[in-house]
Amino acid sequence: MSDSLPKQASGARPGNARGVLDAVLNAVRDGGPAALAVVLETEGSTYAKAGALAYFGSVPRQIGWLSGGCLEPEIERRAALVAASAEFDVLDIDTRDDEDLFSGSAIGCRGRLRLLLLPIQKLDRSDELIEAWRSGAGALCIVMQDDGQLRWQVGAIAQSWRLQRVETAGQVVSAAGQVRLARPASLLMLGAGPEAPVLLPQLRMLGWFSTAVERRERWQGHLALADVALIESPQRAIERARPGQFNAALVMHHHFELDRQALHDLAATDIPFIGLLGPIRRRDDLFKLLPPAVIDALVPRLHSPVGLDLGGLGIESIALSIAAQLQSHLHAR
């Protein structure tokens, strides 16, 4: 196989990638039998799309879903064989048959799914690539060939394996395919106030990685919910941010001067989404103290008040509205 990955690899940002890859990371380091399911391609109406992942093991038994539950028993059965044999397998699941639909035995979806099952215990050193992906080093590219040659790559880091295939009596389905899992979304949260304990777990479930910055002792207990906790000024945190590191930043100190300083410093960054907590009048008061050049740099990216208007009151509704807007922005909806 060439050292360079094919440029036509499809892109995907499935919401369950973080949880699944976290489980794979633990399984690789523990060395126990488990399987990783990778959707290579789909046709028609399917619950999962190319790039979707699922983990099958003992504890936890499953993370990630490839159907509404209707296909999981068969996928789990085949995954158990892969885990036990340490050999890979491929499933071609087609639910487009009209005969099944009219006989009442169809499962509901009308599509086809080609699925690669990989034995995790054979993927030695894949934890290095997962850690690189988690850190934002780049997309995770997975390339499989029919002869069992498997290659993973994140940025300049790559690893290859030669796997044996499970022997089956039926028709052999092609294993060749490639997927590209986009770099995980990353958030810079400036201020870990009352919304943080609700918002951070929501974003984690959606696959975001968060860096929370808070130097006020009152709110530092909330930092444990973030992936990275920084007890320092927002100015220092913004200074250390790498170009392209963050998909979004939230300014939510509930403190006028801290918010003013944060907005001033964020204007010089390349962060494409900047959310400001609080009403429009507060934003206007902040703008009165910011130089015109700073305001001009902020306005195209500033969302104020941050969050979609979903209705409801209280921190739970605020957190949900912010998570919804971040997810909408990430997927350009």
Side-chain angles (χ1 to χ4, degrees), residues 81-89 117-119 121-122 163-167:
L81 294 175
V82 164
S85 66
E87 299 172 331
F88 80 91
D89 198 2
L117 293 170
L118 298 172
Q121 64 268 43
K122 286 290 188 178
L163 304 177
Q164 297 298 316
R165 184 166 185 159
V166 173
E167 291 188 10

Side-chain angles (χ1 to χ4, degrees), residues 224-241:
L225 297 168
D227 295 289
V228 177
L230 301 177
I231 302 176
E232 60 186 20
S233 69
Q235 182 178 18
R236 179 71 184 101
I238 294 169
E239 287 175 352
R240 71 166 73 221

Side-chain angles (χ1 to χ4, degrees), residues 196-272:
V198 183
L199 178 58
L200 289 172
Q202 287 180 348
L203 292 175
R204 177 185 290 266
M205 292 177 64
L206 292 169
W208 287 72
F209 283 81
S210 59
T211 297
V213 183
E214 183 59 82
R215 63 179 178 179
R216 296 169 295 176
E217 185 175 355
R218 178 183 181 184
W219 303 114
Q220 287 176 14
H222 296 164
L223 293 177
L225 297 168
D227 295 289
V228 177
L230 301 177
I231 302 176
E232 60 186 20
S233 69
Q235 182 178 18
R236 179 71 184 101
I238 294 169
E239 287 175 352
R240 71 166 73 221
R242 304 186 305 273
Q245 179 179 358
F246 295 105
N247 297 88
L250 296 177
V251 180
M252 43 196 305
H253 292 100
H254 295 273
H255 186 285
F256 191 86
E257 177 55 26
L258 288 175
D259 284 356
R260 185 202 66 77
Q261 183 66 56
L263 289 176
H264 181 278
D265 296 335
L266 285 170
T269 71
D270 63 352
I271 300 175

Side-chain angles (χ1 to χ4, degrees), residues 267-292:
T269 71
D270 63 352
I271 300 175
F273 180 107
I274 299 172
L276 175 64
L277 190 66
I280 293 176
R281 179 170 180 176
R282 188 169 184 276
R283 177 201 65 196
D284 293 342
D285 288 341
L286 286 164
F287 275 10
K288 292 175 183 177
L289 301 179
L290 293 173

